[in-house]
Amino acid sequence: PESITVQELANRMAEKGADLVKALFKMGTAVTLNQPIDQDTAELLVEEFGHRIQRVSDADVEIGMQGEADAPETLQPRAPVVTIMGHVDHGKTSLLDALRGTNVVSGESGGITQHIGAYQIKTKGGDLITFLDTPGHEAFSEMRARGANVTDIVILVVAADDGLMPQTIEAINHTKAAGVPMIVAINKCDKPDANPQKVRERLLEHEVIVEDMGGETQDVEVSALKRQGLDALIDKILLQSELLELTANPDRAAEGNVIEAQLDKGRGAVATVLVRRGTLKVGDTFVIGAESGKVRAMINDKGQQVKQAGPSTPVEVLGLSGVPMAGDQLTVVENEARAREVAAYRQEQATKKRTTAAPTSFEHMFSALN
Ligand code: GTP
Ligand code: MG
């Protein structure tokens, strides 16, 4: 029988996973994001959110199947995906640099992050952790939302001298909406005017209650500059990740999410993809959003060419027919004809969505006026 996890269904409906969990709870079903639900329940939920159910033709059934849950015996542990969020200049990239032993900040234009960077580190204990860096500037709100949606854990970076600022609060809201656990990294604790206790108190106002205050949110004082508190931060990430029991089936056709994509002068359309399950291999034929392609080459976060990428691995993919949109899904399919078929179907869906959106909002306007 077909089933789909709550998170997968949320992705396909472009809704927040947490909202689906809430709706299900109201319908009398208590489930978590990674649990599968049956088709009837899924259909009810789709209607509940006002989406039309697409009765699918033969050709489309398989597209619908991409949400199918893997059999429990195929699941293997995977690295946590950790997104770093927080207000501009609070030290997100510096913290990642400290963790990775790199210096990305100095290469950034004006020291401002303008895209999502995806990296993987290996801890001293040999555990892998995937990190997504996000920009703190207010203009990049959508990227923070996107980051929150593909992540297992959010690290909220708050500068101890500056305290809670608008994008700190926005990041808290994105994290809550995505229904993912948060670890607070109170950064710049080396500064003379650092006041970590004040940060903890201000967090209370936003219902983020750290352990010291009787809550369950983990927090850690760090200094990216002096490289202090980093091991404690890693430990907390690993602890949180253990609680989540993160798994994926690595032995299947790959599925993933586009973190970002652009047209590169020399290399053509390039997408940074975070593999969610399965293993993406050079030569694989895929659909990515409304584009299709064949993996010509893959480059990891260290700039090295790789032949394959398993669950939780971020990788740059070359060989796309065009530039997909950030947030799009990558799905490996059996052949090029199939890829074109699915891409065409998705293109059609996207067009339909655009043309049907307007009348609904007009109706809405009129009924609101009456
Ligand atoms: P955006 O990506 O633009 O949102 O900024 P960011 O949060 O990534 O901040 P970034 O890492 O670029 O750091 C901003 C400034 O704070 C830089 O000048 C860093 O050197 C400084 N900084 C970062 N961490 C620390 C720290 O622990 N202590 C001190 N004293 N300065 C820090
Ligand atoms: Mg940055």
Side-chain angles (χ1 to χ4, degrees):
E2 262 189 54
S3 66
I4 182 167
T5 67
V6 177
Q7 183 63 64
E8 291 278 0
L9 184 61
N11 290 348
R12 280 162 55 191
M13 287 162 62
E15 297 282 355
K16 303 253 186 290
D19 289 344
L20 265 67
V21 171
K22 261 184 233 156
L24 279 165
F25 191 73
K26 280 191 195 139
M27 286 157 61
T29 316
V31 289
T32 61
L33 285 176
N34 295 320
Q35 254 172 319
I37 51 174
D38 61 31
Q39 196 170 346
D40 289 347
T41 311
E43 282 185 10
L44 274 175
L45 208 53
V46 170
E47 278 168 2
E48 177 78 24
F49 279 79
H51 294 260
R52 265 177 316 121
I53 294 176
Q54 303 278 351
R55 276 283 146 240
V56 286
S57 71
D58 235 19
D60 306 328
V61 166
E62 227 173 305
I63 312 168
M65 297 258 291
Q66 65 171 290
E68 206 187 352
D70 287 296
E73 63 272 17
T74 64
L75 300 178
Q76 288 180 30
R78 64 169 177 85
V81 177
V82 179
T83 300
I84 317 249
M85 283 199 248
H87 195 74
V88 65
D89 271 359
H90 277 200
K92 299 175 290 298
T93 307
S94 300
L95 190 58
L96 245 176
D97 275 340
L99 290 167
R100 296 172 63 220
T102 52
N103 196 351
V104 170
V105 170
S106 66
E108 285 180 341
S109 137
I112 295 176
T113 304
Q114 307 201 28
H115 68 116
I116 297 188
Y119 312 98
Q120 202 169 53
I121 66 154
K122 192 178 225 157
T123 66
K124 286 171 197 155
D127 297 289
L128 291 172
I129 303 176
T130 300
F131 284 104
L132 302 180
D133 190 12
T134 65
H137 193 281
E138 60 184 330
F140 300 109
S141 170
E142 187 254 327
M143 279 192 211
R144 282 189 292 280
R146 206 190 315 137
N149 282 331
V150 297
T151 197
D152 300 307
I153 298 167
V154 165
I155 304 249
L156 181 72
V157 175
V158 188
D161 58 332
D162 207 21
L164 265 66
M165 298 301 275
Q167 273 63 57
T168 317
I169 294 157
E170 197 213 88
I172 292 173
N173 294 335
H174 283 318
T175 309
K176 285 186 178 167
V180 294
M182 178 196 287
I183 297 170
V184 182
I186 306 177
N187 190 31
K188 307 201 185 184
C189 284
D190 59 281
K191 285 199 155 185
D193 52 345
N195 190 345
Q197 191 54 22
K198 189 169 164 212
V199 171
R200 293 186 193 98
E201 282 163 17
R202 289 286 318 279
L203 283 169
L204 284 174
E205 293 164 28
H206 301 276
E207 284 144 55
V208 178
I209 311 165
V210 301
E211 284 173 333
D212 269 3
M213 301 262 182
E216 291 183 345
T217 304
Q218 304 193 77
D219 71 297
V220 53
E221 293 182 13
V222 297
S223 164
L225 193 76
K226 304 267 186 232
R227 288 166 158 56
Q228 281 159 358
L230 303 182
D231 288 344
L233 177 60
I234 294 283
D235 285 348
K236 284 177 199 277
I237 293 169
L238 293 176
L239 183 71
Q240 185 61 256
S241 136
E242 229 168 82
L243 293 173
L244 293 171
E245 293 181 34
L246 303 166
T247 58
N249 174 4
D251 303 312
R252 55 164 291 147
E255 285 175 14
N257 297 83
V258 176
I259 301 298
E260 54 198 358
Q262 70 275 329
L263 195 60
D264 189 293
K265 248 190 181 164
R267 305 182 299 167
V270 179
T272 302
V273 171
L274 179 65
V275 178
R276 212 170 53 247
R277 58 175 176 175
T279 298
L280 187 62
K281 303 183 180 93
V282 170
D284 274 353
T285 301
F286 61 84
V287 185
I288 189 164
E291 304 294 338
S292 59
K294 190 176 184 138
V295 183
R296 199 170 71 225
M298 289 194 289
I299 295 136
N300 71 9
D301 58 341
K302 286 148 200 97
Q304 301 153 334
Q305 293 235 7
V306 290
K307 290 264 177 275
Q308 50 181 48
S312 297
T313 311
V315 73
E316 239 184 357
V317 179
L318 276 65
L320 288 67
S321 64
V323 183
M325 304 221 297
D328 276 348
Q329 305 260 339
L330 173 141
T331 311
V332 168
V333 293
E334 61 270 36
N335 56 46
E336 274 163 53
R338 178 74 190 142
R340 279 194 297 272
E341 191 180 18
V342 177
Y345 172 84
R346 285 187 183 175
Q347 232 143 28
E348 195 183 301
Q349 293 304 307
T351 316
K352 258 194 211 156
K353 221 174 167 181
R354 275 198 295 277
T355 50
T356 52
T360 342
S361 50
F362 269 115
E363 262 173 44
H364 202 78
M365 262 172 63
F366 287 129
S367 60
L369 286 171
N370 282 335

